[in-house]
Amino acid sequence: MVAWTSLLSLAAVACMAARAEARIFFSEDFEALTEPVSDKWTIATKDAVASIDTTNPKNGKKALRFKVTGNGFGFLTPNTFSPPGNSFFGRINLFVQDFPKKPDFAHFINVEVKGSGNPTLVRPIGGQFIPGETTEFGVGADLGPTGDFTDHKQTVPTTDRKYLCLEWQMRASDNSIQVSIDGVLKPELTINQTSHGGNQVDFIFPQFNNIRFGWQQFQATTDNFDVFLDDIALSTTRIGCNVANGNNGNNNGNNGNNNGNNNGNNNGNKTKVKTTKSKKAKTTTTTTVTTTTTEAPAATGDANANAGAGTGLDAATVSKLTDLLNQMIAVLGA
């Protein structure tokens, strides 16, 4: 009989291997900057002023601030964007002093993705003011076959003057978008190829090559908007909210590990590890194995062989078990 401790060791190897395969391919926390200038991204504004702000960061000491007048806009756009398999996870911490309360049906966006192959502008994070209800988050799109739509939900209202951790997953296999707020999945905001709020045709992603983060309201207004962005990240796996009070603990651990491993590559001369921005140290725990997320095995194959030693299992069986565990982890993390 194979010892349970050996199976737990295999589970630990599979978990660490899965984490090693995760890749944050863009991140920015603004800590190394004094001006909104970077060789990784550009800023575009109209009737807006961008700055690096020290008065209202979510974590650390700095955030990106857009002070927008009326129908102006402010966006940060990474210089390169080519998500593997046309699928990815994203996260921003967003603070809006006052979301739109007029005019009726005022529509705003915070994240917009576009590409080649079709003209659709995909808007995983945005929303709309609905008279008689409230200002509501909603996933939407424009310009493509499905037309201009925002699939807003009254059960997901916006919140003024508070940082919100906004996460989204965009999956090419079914052209789906899922959104989480402060670590909680909002299933009512999910759309996919055949279920969405637009024209009754299939919703299809373009081949993504451009993404921008920031603020724009489209309907005419004399209001001004004060918007802060912090801890922007794009990854091949879910990143998590990095919540200082310890909620969403497993994702916090992954987030610290991924940001730490990728900070040097993605943030140029920024050497500060992302986890230094949190008020609490982070570890990743499961019901079967407790591990720190500071280091992954150098080679999955070698780790598999070592894990199989003394279990009575040959290398092929160990490999199959590890593959199965990886699949289970992928399902649980989706």
Side-chain angles (χ1 to χ4, degrees), residues 210-230:
N210 182 278
I211 186 169
R212 60 180 186 163
F213 315 94
W215 177 268
Q216 184 172 13
Q217 179 185 307
F218 295 99
Q219 283 68 34
T221 182
T222 58
D223 289 342
N224 299 325
F225 301 98
D226 202 2
V227 179
F228 299 80
L229 298 174
D230 203 357

Side-chain angles (χ1 to χ4, degrees), residues 4 17 24 50 63 81 98 111 114 122 127 130 152 163 200 215 219 229 242-243 247 249 262 282 300-301 303 316 319:
W4 278 108
I24 290 182
F81 178 64
D98 292 289
V111 180
K114 64 181 180 179
V122 184
I130 306 301
H152 55 85
Y163 264 106
Q200 292 306 297
W215 177 268
Q219 283 68 34
L229 298 174
N242 194 23
V243 178
N247 292 334
N262 290 280
K282 306 178 183 67
T300 302
S319 178

Side-chain angles (χ1 to χ4, degrees), residues 19 182-183 238-257 278 280-286 291 293:
R19 292 191 189 111
D182 291 337
R238 186 178 178 187
I239 305 154
C241 280
N242 194 23
V243 178
N245 66 8
N247 292 334
N248 207 19
N250 289 339
N251 287 325
N252 286 347
N254 292 338
N255 185 44
N257 188 41
S278 175
K280 294 186 179 179
K282 306 178 183 67
T283 57
T284 297
T285 59
T286 68
T291 65
T293 60

Side-chain angles (χ1 to χ4, degrees), residues 42 48 57-58 71 80 84 89 92 100 106 122-123 128 140 147 151 171 208 218 240 253 267 276 286 292-293 302 308:
T42 58
K58 172 63 170 71
N71 289 113
T80 60
F89 292 75
I92 59 172
V122 184
R123 294 162 172 170
Q128 197 160 20
D151 202 1
R171 188 170 57 198
F208 297 131
F218 295 99
N267 286 342
T276 62
T286 68
T292 61
T293 60
D302 293 341

Side-chain angles (χ1 to χ4, degrees), residues 244-276:
N245 66 8
N247 292 334
N248 207 19
N250 289 339
N251 287 325
N252 286 347
N254 292 338
N255 185 44
N257 188 41
N258 290 334
N259 278 343
N261 290 340
N262 290 280
N263 220 27
N265 292 333
N266 288 330
N267 286 342
N269 61 2
K270 184 187 293 186
T271 58
K272 182 182 288 186
V273 177
K274 184 70 171 183
T275 52
T276 62

